[in-house]
Amino acid sequence: GESVGLHLPTLSVQEGDNSIINCAYSNSASDYFIWYKQESGKGPQFIIDIRSNMDKRQGQRVTVLLNKTVKHLSLQIAATQPGDSAVYFCAENEANAGKSTFGDGTTLTVKP
Amino acid sequence: IAGITQAPTSQILAAGRRMTLRCTQDMRHNAMYWYRQDLGLGLRLIHYSNTAGTTGKGEVPDGYSVSRANTDDFPLTLASAVPSQTSVYFCASKGQGIDSPLHFGNGTRLTVT
């Protein structure tokens, strides 16, 4: 069946380094992708999104890359800080469906 | 602060009991959702509502019911709780348009004993 998944369940980086979190999706009808950050004891929070007619989108310290050919999504965090430690989820929306399907999440740990 | 409010924050419930998890939003969003989050299984959609007066089933609807009497409130009811319903429950809403992210509450941690 269709699924959204993350390549690695955990990622540990040194403070100041760049982080890359990957996500694979299999629904070719998906046309909108979102990254969420979830801190302990809280609900997921929107970080950045991208539509399928784009291959890159930049925010503040974050960049999302979309490769539709291989159905791959990545989140890049520049100069990772301790406050970036959290679980990161990718989610995809199928055109006109309105509902999001989530990946299992990657836990990012930033070492001081 | 605008957003999603969920109550209670946590609850321990005896198996067989009825429980309603409350969710209220003040953003006037049409679409609302209930997800459960279990370790290793990510977020799974239980029920959703595209607008007041309508509801739909998600991926794991069995054992749960919802109602959407108005735009702001979207309660989730467990008619007869079972231990497998032990989970963290998140309510979310979404603004207009397909390309709109979800806004989540801070969840209700439910333990069914």
Side-chain angles (χ1 to χ4, degrees):
Chain A
E2 304 289 1
S3 65
V4 178
L6 293 167
H7 293 313
L8 295 173
T10 62
L11 176 65
S12 183
V13 301
Q14 206 69 37
E15 181 178 358
D17 287 350
N18 296 333
S19 303
I20 299 176
I21 300 172
N22 296 304
C23 178
Y25 67 96
S26 58
N27 185 354
S28 57
S30 296
D31 69 345
Y32 176 57
F33 304 88
I34 316 107
W35 281 101
Y36 294 91
K37 172 186 180 183
Q38 186 177 24
E39 296 175 274
S40 181
K42 296 184 178 180
Q45 285 184 295
F46 167 77
I47 302 174
I48 193 168
D49 57 3
I50 189 167
R51 296 191 64 185
S52 60
N53 61 353
M54 303 169 67
D55 53 20
K56 180 179 181 179
R57 191 172 187 202
Q58 288 184 287
Q60 186 179 13
R61 283 201 307 117
V62 294
T63 300
V64 55
L65 299 177
L66 176 63
N67 186 329
K68 296 180 288 294
T69 302
V70 296
K71 297 188 180 68
H72 184 267
L73 190 69
S74 69
L75 176 70
Q76 300 179 357
I77 304 173
T80 313
Q81 302 168 0
D84 294 327
S85 293
V87 179
Y88 289 82
F89 293 94
C90 64
E92 54 90 7
N93 281 27
E94 182 178 332
N96 299 318
K99 299 186 292 293
S100 294
T101 300
F102 285 81
D104 293 335
T106 291
T107 300
L108 175 65
T109 301
V110 182
K111 297 177 289 185
Chain B
I1 299 176
I4 301 266
T5 302
Q6 291 187 238
T9 302
S10 65
Q11 181 76 45
I12 298 173
L13 187 68
R17 297 296 296 270
R18 180 184 179 89
M19 172 78 188
T20 295
L21 280 58
R22 301 184 298 278
C23 175
T24 299
Q25 55 113 349
D26 60 4
M27 297 172 284
R28 307 302 294 172
H29 287 167
N30 282 329
M32 297 188 73
Y33 307 84
W34 274 104
Y35 287 87
R36 60 177 289 173
Q37 185 174 37
D38 303 290
L39 192 64
L41 292 174
L43 287 149
R44 293 182 293 169
L45 182 64
I46 304 171
H47 284 288
Y48 66 94
S49 169
N50 288 329
T51 189
T54 68
T55 61
K57 294 182 179 180
E59 182 186 354
V60 288
D62 294 343
Y64 306 95
S65 63
V66 291
S67 62
R68 188 85 185 279
N70 57 62
T71 297
D72 298 343
D73 301 300
F74 191 42
L76 176 74
T77 297
L78 288 67
S80 179
V82 295
S84 62
Q85 292 178 309
T86 294
S87 187
V88 182
Y89 291 86
F90 288 100
C91 180
S93 71
K94 188 164 81 76
Q96 285 293 99
I98 296 295
D99 295 352
S100 185
L102 294 171
H103 297 256
F104 285 88
N106 282 328
T108 293
R109 182 175 295 277
L110 180 66
T111 302
V112 182
T113 60

